[in-house]
Amino acid sequence: QVQLVESGGGLVQPGGSLRLSCAASGFTFSNYGMRWYRQAPGKERELVAVITSLVGVTDYADSVKGRFTISRDNAKNTVYLQMNGLKPEDTAVYYCNVRGVPVGGSRYDYWGQGTQVTVSS
């Protein structure tokens, strides 16, 4: 029963900050890289940030580089996305994702339900 549960979204003014959390369960969290995606109205879902399982290397979309930080706490089975300097174009539903978890002889991707981030004055 793999589960990903996002929280921390909300309404924030331009230039403000939010910290998103994704609580994971049902798999060995520390063995997997984790990802944050977002999807704005009328647009395709895009990869925002990645953190690897082993060394903890991170990478970001160019649009958020320098403003967002992905991190993880393996003791809490939680991945975070710290978002600073928010812009209206950051408005989207943000999703936590894990790829390739083995279940019943196959590997699957899992997604959280999403959390809404709205940046508006």
Side-chain angles (χ1 to χ4, degrees):
Q1 55 167 8
V2 174
Q3 289 191 73
L4 303 173
V5 180
E6 301 98 333
S7 61
L11 175 64
V12 64
Q13 296 183 20
S17 298
L18 285 173
R19 184 175 176 86
L20 306 184
S21 298
C22 172
S25 61
F27 64 100
T28 305
F29 178 77
S30 62
N31 287 352
Y32 293 86
M34 299 296 296
R35 297 166 175 82
W36 285 99
Y37 287 78
R38 68 185 181 187
Q39 188 164 26
K43 295 189 176 182
E44 296 182 354
R45 188 170 298 187
E46 65 171 338
L47 180 63
V48 175
V50 178
I51 186 164
T52 65
S53 60
L54 297 178
V55 183
V57 175
T58 61
D59 200 10
Y60 303 90
D62 288 342
S63 59
V64 308
K65 195 169 297 183
R67 299 187 297 120
F68 290 11
T69 303
I70 187 171
S71 62
R72 65 192 298 161
D73 186 339
N74 289 339
K76 296 181 178 179
N77 285 359
T78 301
V79 61
Y80 304 95
L81 187 67
Q82 178 67 46
M83 306 184 296
N84 299 325
L86 284 162
K87 305 175 181 179
E89 51 262 44
D90 295 318
T91 296
V93 178
Y94 284 72
Y95 297 92
C96 181
N97 165 261
V98 60
R99 300 182 65 183
V101 179
V103 178
S106 299
R107 295 181 180 271
Y108 297 90
D109 296 349
Y110 291 90
W111 298 84
Q113 81 289 346
T115 186
Q116 176 71 50
V117 172
T118 302
V119 185
S120 177
S121 59

